[in-house]
């Protein structure tokens, strides 16, 4: 189970295997600026500071270019962490929308 | 009246299989052709061969087409578009499968707009002889027909003038910087017939597509569509709600590639002598989302 740490705020959540970073944060009761959730609009980009992600579904190269990928841009609605990762939101803050979901996120099995 | 309606919208999708599932099983369109990595669809209440084309690879706008009544109408637009200074090329029958001769105009934004007057007839799903009110086995939300699109453009006034002077449209509603005559136009809703809009333009830093919309049969069907979207895990951007602009009821949602779709219903009938409605930026929240009265952080930032 990879750990995800988000800046600013240094918030850490556990990600399920095969879960995207976006899905993991929302499952843990957090929100941030996102759009289509389907890899099309590029609004959910963040900086990948540490760790490794993969894209297990196609991503349009005009949304996330190869050079962006090598320079550490991560499209959070499609990126799946394969190691522990640390990301930094761009001109945005993580908002906790449900402390209950944060509290009980770990009890989910699926 | 030269142009009758928006005839087709053609977009790119990153994963063809997922997009096919969306447009056929969730939106409920009927597939009429699959060829060269493109899939063609029509709604049940449409009679032409297709109104939506999806193409594998990437995301976003490829082009859209407006259907004219007669070939002479296409020639007329060709003459006017050339005089207006926009690049125009002729397209021959078959260049788009099942579509006749026509022209392709490239807007300064790069958006390609096609005009044609013939498309292979397919027929209404309910037929035209003593028809029933809707198909007995509708799929998904059962979208009857393509309605309109909203494009992101960097020069609303210039492109609005093209659609008015060369295509014969007029503005039913506008968002402008003030109520003064010399105000700057931020967005415009343009119609050719009696519907609220066939195309809308919104000022933006990039030239993209904001959404394309299907006309539904009323608020009940909009609510039903939202239920289907939850069942099919379709990301909803906003709604069901109402737009202040056009008074239409709506849901914005995303296809599996991230293209924004809309279900739209209602609005008022528009006659050419109807005065244009004007909105000012301080009321933009109410203008776009009449109930929440505030813009979400996606309306002005998310497009493909
Ligand atoms: S939310 Fe649109 S690309 Fe991620
Ligand atoms: Fe719309």
């Amino acid at each position: 189970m990879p750990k995800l740490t988000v800046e600013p705020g240094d918030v850490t959540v556990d990600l399920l295997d095969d879960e995207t970073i976006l899905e993991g944060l929302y499952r843990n009761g957090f929100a941030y600026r996102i759009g289509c959730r389907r890899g099309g609009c590029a609004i959910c980009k963040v900086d990948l500071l540490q760790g490794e992600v993969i894209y297990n579904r196609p991503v349009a190269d005009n949304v996330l270019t190869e050079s962006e990928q090598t320079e550490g841009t991560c499209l959070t609605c499609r990126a799946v962490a394969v190691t522990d990762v640390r990301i930094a939101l761009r001109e945005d803050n993580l908002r906790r929308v449900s402390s209950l979901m944060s509290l009980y996120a770990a009890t989910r099995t699926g | 009246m030269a142009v009758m309606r928006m005839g087709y919208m053609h977009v790119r999708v990153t994963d063809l299989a997922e997009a096919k599932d969306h447009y056929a099983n969730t939106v409920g369109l009927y597939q009429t052709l699959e060829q060269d990595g493109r899939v063609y669809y029509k709604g049940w209440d449409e009679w032409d061969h297709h109104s939506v084309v999806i193409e594998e690879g990437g995301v976003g706008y490829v082009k859209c087409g407006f259907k004219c009544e007669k070939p002479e109408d296409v020639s007329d637009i060709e003459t006017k578009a050339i005089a207006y200074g926009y690049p125009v090329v002729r397209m021959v029958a078959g260049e788009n499968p099942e579509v006749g001769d026509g022209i392709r105009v490239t807007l300064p934004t790069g958006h390609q707009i096609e005009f044609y007057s013939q498309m292979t007839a397919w027929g209404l799903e309910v037929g035209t002889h003593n028809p029933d009110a809707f198909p007995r086995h509708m799929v998904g939300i059962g979208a009857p027909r393509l309605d309109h699109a909203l494009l992101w453009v960097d020069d609303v006034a210039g492109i609005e003038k093209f659609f008015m002077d060369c295509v014969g449209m007029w503005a039913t509603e506008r968002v402008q910087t003030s109520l003064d005559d010399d105000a700057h136009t931020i967005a415009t809703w343009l119609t050719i017939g009696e519907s609220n809009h066939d195309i809308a333009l919104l000022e933006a830093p990039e030239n993209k597509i904001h959404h394309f919309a299907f006309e539904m049969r009323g608020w009940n069907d909009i609510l039903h569509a939202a239920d289907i979207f939850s069942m099919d895990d379709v990301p909803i951007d906003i709604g069901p709600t109402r737009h202040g602009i056009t008074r239409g009821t709506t849901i914005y949602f995303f296809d599996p590639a991230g293209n924004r779709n809309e279900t739209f219903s209602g609005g008022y009938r528009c006659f050419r002598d109807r005065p244009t409605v004007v909105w000012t930026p301080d009321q933009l929240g109410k203008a776009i989302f009449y109930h929440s009265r505030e813009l979400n952080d996606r309306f002005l930032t998310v497009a493909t």
Side-chain angles (χ1 to χ4, degrees):
Chain A
M1 227 193 230
K3 272 200 187 322
L4 165 69
T5 306
V6 184
E7 293 180 11
D10 219 29
V11 174
T12 298
V13 302
D14 290 321
L15 296 173
L16 302 176
D17 295 328
D18 294 334
E19 172 178 65
T20 64
I21 290 177
L22 184 156
E23 286 167 344
L25 284 170
Y26 276 75
R27 183 176 52 77
N28 277 274
F30 292 98
Y32 60 109
R33 191 181 56 237
I34 61 164
C36 66
R37 297 170 182 251
R38 294 292 183 266
C41 71
I43 207 87
C44 67
K45 281 179 185 173
V46 302
D47 291 312
L48 181 64
L49 305 178
Q50 265 169 40
E52 220 182 294
V53 299
I54 55 160
Y55 295 91
N56 53 15
R57 339 238 327 233
V59 172
D61 26 290
N62 60 331
V63 172
L64 183 69
T65 64
E66 239 168 79
S67 64
E68 275 181 310
Q69 275 196 58
T70 40
E71 285 158 20
T73 293
C74 163
L75 194 71
T76 52
C77 69
R78 286 298 198 213
V80 175
V82 288
T83 64
D84 288 354
V85 292
R86 173 178 286 269
I87 60 170
L89 302 187
R90 293 177 174 176
E91 293 169 27
D92 192 16
N93 286 298
L94 205 57
R95 300 184 297 279
R96 191 194 290 276
V97 291
S98 169
S99 48
L100 277 179
M101 288 179 81
S102 309
L103 190 60
Y104 293 114
T107 62
R108 187 184 134 146
T109 49
Chain B
M1 187 187 311
V3 167
M4 297 187 291
R5 63 176 173 276
M6 177 170 281
Y8 52 83
M9 174 55 68
H10 182 159
V11 292
R12 293 183 186 284
V13 295
T14 38
D15 183 314
L16 196 61
E18 283 185 354
K20 282 173 71 173
D21 184 46
H22 173 80
Y23 286 103
N25 297 325
T26 299
V27 181
L29 303 179
Y30 294 74
Q31 182 179 323
T32 54
L33 179 69
E34 177 161 6
Q35 183 177 292
D36 304 328
R38 296 182 183 137
V39 187
Y40 298 75
Y41 294 97
K42 69 177 280 292
W44 67 261
D45 208 16
E46 291 173 315
W47 44 91
D48 278 353
H49 180 269
H50 60 264
S51 60
V52 172
V53 184
I54 57 174
E55 173 172 345
E56 187 159 51
V59 59
Y61 186 85
V62 176
K63 61 190 181 184
C64 69
F66 284 93
K67 192 176 189 194
C68 301
E69 200 175 343
K70 302 183 292 291
E72 303 88 273
D73 300 327
V74 179
S75 317
D76 182 48
I77 293 170
E78 180 181 32
T79 311
K80 288 175 175 161
I82 291 168
Y84 196 68
Y86 284 178
V88 179
V89 295
R90 288 205 174 155
M91 53 180 204
V92 295
E95 213 174 309
N96 297 306
E98 313 298 333
V99 180
D101 292 342
I103 58 163
R104 182 179 306 122
V105 179
T106 304
L107 306 183
T109 54
H111 292 106
Q112 293 191 330
I113 314 271
E114 296 178 338
F115 297 90
Y116 63 101
S117 62
Q118 276 139 357
M119 188 187 285
T120 305
W122 184 279
L124 300 164
E125 293 308 312
V126 291
T128 44
H129 299 162
N130 310 313
D132 277 311
F134 56 87
R136 179 66 182 79
H137 297 288
M138 226 146 43
V139 177
I141 71 168
R145 58 175 287 268
L146 176 71
D147 191 67
H148 68 263
L150 169 55
L151 301 182
W152 265 16
V153 299
D154 53 17
D155 173 22
V156 172
I159 292 164
E160 178 189 56
K161 192 165 157 48
F162 163 76
F163 278 108
M164 292 174 75
D165 293 359
C166 306
V167 186
M169 294 191 178
W170 60 282
T172 54
E173 308 211 11
R174 282 197 187 107
V175 179
Q176 52 189 56
T177 45
S178 75
L179 300 175
D180 301 336
D181 286 347
D182 62 349
H184 174 76
T185 305
I186 299 167
T188 183
W189 281 255
L190 295 160
T191 186
I192 192 67
E194 287 185 19
S195 74
N196 275 111
H197 56 310
D198 295 285
I199 194 161
L201 308 168
L202 172 65
E203 179 173 297
E206 290 171 285
N207 298 308
K208 291 184 165 190
I209 181 165
H210 186 275
H211 69 267
F212 62 99
F214 299 96
E215 186 185 21
M216 304 299 285
R217 295 173 300 170
W219 174 244
N220 286 353
D221 281 14
I222 299 268
L223 187 61
H224 178 256
D227 295 336
I228 300 283
F229 296 153
S230 285
M231 294 179 196
D232 290 357
D233 195 27
V234 173
I236 289 182
D237 182 2
I238 192 143
T241 185
R242 182 192 296 281
H243 293 304
I245 293 168
T246 73
R247 304 181 198 149
T249 54
T250 180
I251 307 165
Y252 285 147
F253 57 103
F254 294 103
D255 82 4
N259 296 302
R260 195 193 269 100
N261 299 160
E262 179 183 23
T263 52
F264 180 88
S265 182
Y268 47 86
R269 286 173 75 194
C270 300
F271 301 95
R272 299 183 84 85
D273 60 341
R274 188 185 175 95
T276 300
V277 169
V278 177
W279 297 83
T280 46
D282 55 305
Q283 295 296 313
L284 198 56
K286 185 174 164 184
I288 306 291
F289 302 127
Y290 189 63
H291 299 149
S292 71
R293 279 159 282 141
E294 39 183 58
L295 289 181
N296 63 23
D297 54 8
R298 291 176 297 278
F299 186 81
L300 294 172
T301 52
V302 167
T304 57

